[in-house]
Amino acid sequence: MNQPQKPINVHRAYHAHIYFNQDTLALATELHHKIQSQFDLRLGSIITQPIGPHTQWSFQVLFAREDFERFIPWLDENRDSLSILVHADTGNDLDDHTLYAYWLGDEVKLDLRGF
């Protein structure tokens, strides 16, 4: 089985999508609060339905290459069992969610038909 590619800092900007479900909502909510209190990053709302290419509930964090080295190791350490997609924000959504997609935890299937 192929291992998902771990995040690497080679792009200017990134999104992290933290995935959860009804059973892990409390864990995701706690992580959302921790990020909000410990980082000055653009943090999206907790969304309790699939949206766009994301087939699970999620919230997103927008950050730049300058934040990567501090944020990604912290996120990996604090994610518990949650799966996280980290992808580049180049303006090409299909490439960002495929070629430039990196994972913390298990890979989650995306719905790429909208791209």
Side-chain angles (χ1 to χ4, degrees), residues 57-106:
W57 300 357
S58 64
F59 70 87
Q60 73 174 354
V61 184
L62 284 65
F63 61 101
R65 72 167 54 137
E66 295 79 17
D67 305 304
F68 188 100
E69 300 304 330
R70 179 171 174 244
F71 181 59
I72 291 298
W74 181 94
L75 188 59
D76 195 22
E77 185 176 309
N78 287 274
R79 69 179 178 81
D80 199 282
S81 62
L82 300 175
S83 292
I84 300 174
L85 166 62
V86 177
H87 69 76
D89 181 16
T90 67
N92 182 321
D93 288 337
L94 182 58
D95 284 354
D96 290 348
H97 288 83
T98 55
L99 296 175
Y100 309 131
Y102 313 103
W103 292 91
L104 300 174
D106 295 330

Side-chain angles (χ1 to χ4, degrees), residues 6-51:
K6 293 286 188 188
I8 53 175
N9 191 6
V10 295
H11 308 283
R12 287 187 193 165
Y14 296 88
H15 292 174
H17 297 274
I18 294 83
Y19 295 114
F20 56 94
N21 58 36
Q22 187 172 351
D23 295 335
T24 56
L25 175 59
L27 181 60
T29 301
E30 180 182 342
L31 182 59
H32 190 275
H33 291 305
K34 284 182 180 179
I35 294 169
Q36 190 172 39
S37 69
Q38 296 186 33
F39 294 90
D40 185 24
L41 303 175
R42 289 183 55 200
L43 185 59
S45 300
I46 293 175
I47 300 172
T48 56
Q49 63 184 14
I51 187 168

